[in-house]
Amino acid sequence: SKMVEQMKLVHKTAYWGAMSLGTPPQPFKVIFDTGSGNLIVPAADCNVPGCAPHKKYDSKASTSSSFVTNERGEGSSEITFGTGQVSGDFYKDRLCIGESLCFDASFIAADKMTTEPFREIPFDGIMGLGFKDLSMGNGFNIVDDLASSPELPSGGHQFSFFVSDGQDSEVTFGGYRADRLASDIVWAPVKVESWWQVAIDDITFNNVPKSLCNGQCQVAVDTGTSMLAGPSDLVDKLSNMVNAKDDCSNFDQLPTLGFQIGDTILNLRPDDYMDKSASGCSFSIMALDVPPPKGPVFIFGDPFLRRFVTIYDRSKPAVGFAVARHSGAEDKVAASTLIARVHGDKAGSAPVSSSRAGSSPQTGVSLHLDGGLMTGDSDNSDSSSAPAPAADTANAAPVDAAPSRSDSEQDPMAEMRALLGGRASFLQKPRRQAANLVSVRLFRDQRR
């Protein structure tokens, strides 16, 4: 019934896109994951159940393939994830995202993948977009490869994510699409170059700080997870303070839950941090304790990413946040509450200045990708076994050249500190985007 449908508000999603390896190209579907640092695809000699339903990389079928070792002389490795393991050999080959963004990349061709979770996932592999310390060694980091790619001369240092519950989700390489933004961009410097991890000063309810962090909280923005998570002690406190009723009777009175960066607050609404269904309501931020030095840390997954476009800048390094434009004018109005100042002084209501079609050449690339349920069944008419379709020209606005770096290359935070002027964050108007943007459409999977 309509009433039951309105009660469904459970956030369980995954987003993935297409790429290819080799000459001639071998297509794969991968999740673009800012929480890991390696490209991993199944190998042709992987015969275990975890590899069975997926496309497999055949090094012998590629004229550009080579076996490689890292600087420690290692030619293989085993990686443990939260719910499984993979192991395999190291290769280098031609990697293409679309038809125009291609470069040589080192990666893991897995000859073993545990049955759970890999047999059931709707994508073949993982493209890690975290920092170098998460990678297998020198030359294995995709973010560094993008930054030095000649196909992205002015914007290779940036990539961005726009995700939604519709069919228009994208990851953009070479900058961001200004038409996806409904607010100014809030930039926060990366504190730990591993995950894309930034500091938060406090947690707020309806823009009022609650003195829960003492300036010690951190957040990792993770495009590879469907959840929101945080340190168990803080999650318990937040759950008690929110005091959501199991029967949803006070759902409409629940506060916005904000994360304070300097004097700027990024807000989540109750439907972002609550699971609401016909059976009741529950606080959806999971308890997850990450040990030092990376933890304790909050994890911002899909519920946060649906509210905010996230921009990852390797050159600063920093993460940018802007309210996602899903519904045009409605999102522009919502921006004034989703990005706010401490105690309610609105920061997101300033008009967005962006360049649209016609003001500059448009050479971005958008790919239509397959999507399916987490069980592997298709949820649209596209065939999951079909090769990646040809690239189409995207309606993407191009990105300015990267700002000049500080003279002190030994201090990568120097430029960001200069830009911040001692503040923890700053606002930037969406810029005109230079040519050579590559946008890849992502498909959503949702399980009830």
Side-chain angles (χ1 to χ4, degrees):
S1 70
K2 183 176 180 180
M3 179 176 295
V4 171
E5 189 63 32
Q6 288 176 339
M7 291 291 286
K8 292 181 179 179
L9 203 61
V10 179
H11 305 296
K12 294 183 180 178
T13 59
Y15 300 88
W16 63 91
M19 50 147 280
S20 67
L21 286 168
T23 308
Q26 302 174 35
F28 296 91
K29 294 183 291 185
V30 296
I31 188 169
F32 296 94
D33 178 20
T34 57
S36 64
N38 297 287
L39 173 59
I40 305 171
V41 294
D45 58 351
C46 184
N47 299 312
V48 299
C51 291
H54 302 301
K55 296 288 183 65
K56 300 176 183 179
Y57 171 71
D58 187 352
S59 61
K60 296 178 181 179
S62 173
T63 59
S64 52
S65 174
S66 62
F67 177 78
V68 295
T69 59
N70 61 17
E71 65 274 18
R72 297 180 294 275
E74 300 165 339
S76 63
S77 183
E78 179 179 285
I79 298 178
T80 299
F81 295 92
T83 54
Q85 288 184 327
V86 301
S87 61
D89 295 327
F90 298 165
Y91 286 89
K92 176 178 280 190
D93 211 336
R94 193 69 168 164
L95 182 156
C96 288
I97 302 171
E99 294 183 345
S100 62
L101 180 53
C102 297
F103 50 89
D104 291 338
S106 298
F107 59 95
I108 300 170
D111 56 13
K112 292 184 177 62
M113 302 174 74
T114 53
T115 302
E116 298 298 331
F118 296 106
R119 183 170 61 181
E120 299 298 326
I121 60 176
F123 43 86
D124 305 307
I126 301 166
M127 181 183 288
L129 294 174
F131 285 89
K132 181 179 176 180
D133 85 310
L134 297 175
S135 303
M136 284 295 107
N138 294 332
F140 282 79
N141 187 261
I142 299 297
V143 173
D144 289 345
D145 290 341
L146 288 167
S148 59
S149 172
E151 281 82 8
L152 297 171
S154 62
H157 60 286
Q158 283 188 352
F159 60 94
S160 59
F161 282 82
F162 169 91
V163 300
S164 76
D165 284 326
Q167 296 295 320
D168 56 349
S169 299
E170 292 181 340
V171 54
T172 298
F173 295 98
Y176 57 87
R177 286 183 52 173
D179 60 329
R180 295 298 195 190
L181 277 54
S183 75
D184 294 342
I185 304 165
V186 178
W187 286 102
V190 170
K191 291 294 185 181
V192 180
E193 289 190 34
S194 183
W195 301 322
W196 290 86
Q197 189 166 328
V198 303
I200 57 174
D201 295 293
D202 205 351
I203 299 170
T204 66
F205 283 16
N206 292 331
N207 302 328
V208 178
K210 293 300 179 182
S211 300
L212 294 173
C213 287
N214 296 319
Q216 301 300 311
C217 292
Q218 300 209 26
V219 164
V221 189
D222 188 354
T223 60
T225 183
S226 62
M227 64 181 181
L228 298 172
S232 57
D233 58 337
L234 283 176
V235 170
D236 288 343
K237 289 180 182 178
L238 288 173
S239 180
N240 291 332
M241 292 170 69
V242 168
N243 194 30
K245 304 300 183 185
D246 292 342
D247 61 2
C248 305
S249 59
N250 66 340
F251 186 87
D252 292 338
Q253 287 75 50
L254 296 179
T256 57
L257 178 62
F259 296 85
Q260 180 185 343
I261 303 173
D263 61 354
T264 302
I265 299 170
L266 306 176
N267 277 313
L268 295 176
R269 293 174 172 170
D271 54 352
D272 300 317
Y273 65 79
M274 295 293 298
D275 278 340
K276 183 180 180 184
S277 67
S279 60
C281 284
S282 62
F283 193 59
S284 66
I285 300 182
M286 297 177 59
L288 179 66
D289 291 314
V290 178
K294 293 181 181 178
V297 63
F298 283 88
I299 307 293
F300 281 178
D302 290 339
F304 181 88
L305 297 170
R306 284 191 294 269
R307 281 294 182 203
F308 296 94
V309 172
T310 50
I311 307 166
Y312 306 81
D313 193 315
R314 179 68 184 88
S315 67
K316 291 179 172 57
V319 182
F321 305 93
V323 176
R325 185 190 297 273
H326 295 293
S327 307
E330 178 181 333
D331 289 313
K332 193 69 175 295
V333 173
S336 65
T337 59
L338 292 174
I339 295 182
R341 297 290 189 195
V342 176
H343 301 301
D345 182 19
K346 296 177 182 179
S349 57
V352 175
S353 86
S354 57
S355 296
R356 302 303 301 272
S359 62
S360 57
Q362 309 218 343
T363 57
V365 175
S366 182
L367 299 178
H368 181 81
L369 307 178
D370 295 329
L373 300 175
M374 291 296 283
T375 57
D377 297 327
S378 176
D379 68 353
N380 59 38
S381 60
D382 293 334
S383 169
S384 61
S385 61
D392 295 324
T393 300
N395 180 22
V399 171
D400 292 342
S404 59
R405 296 298 309 275
S406 166
D407 291 337
S408 175
E409 288 297 329
Q410 303 195 353
D411 183 3
M413 293 299 293
E415 180 199 5
M416 176 54 69
R417 280 196 292 269
L419 287 169
L420 293 176
R423 293 167 290 159
S425 65
F426 72 95
L427 285 170
Q428 176 195 332
K429 300 278 187 193
R431 300 178 180 178
R432 177 177 309 189
Q433 302 284 289
N436 304 308
L437 243 61
V438 174
S439 295
V440 178
R441 282 192 59 201
L442 303 178
F443 275 79
R444 173 184 59 85
D445 169 70
Q446 184 165 346
R447 289 187 295 177
R448 299 294 185 190

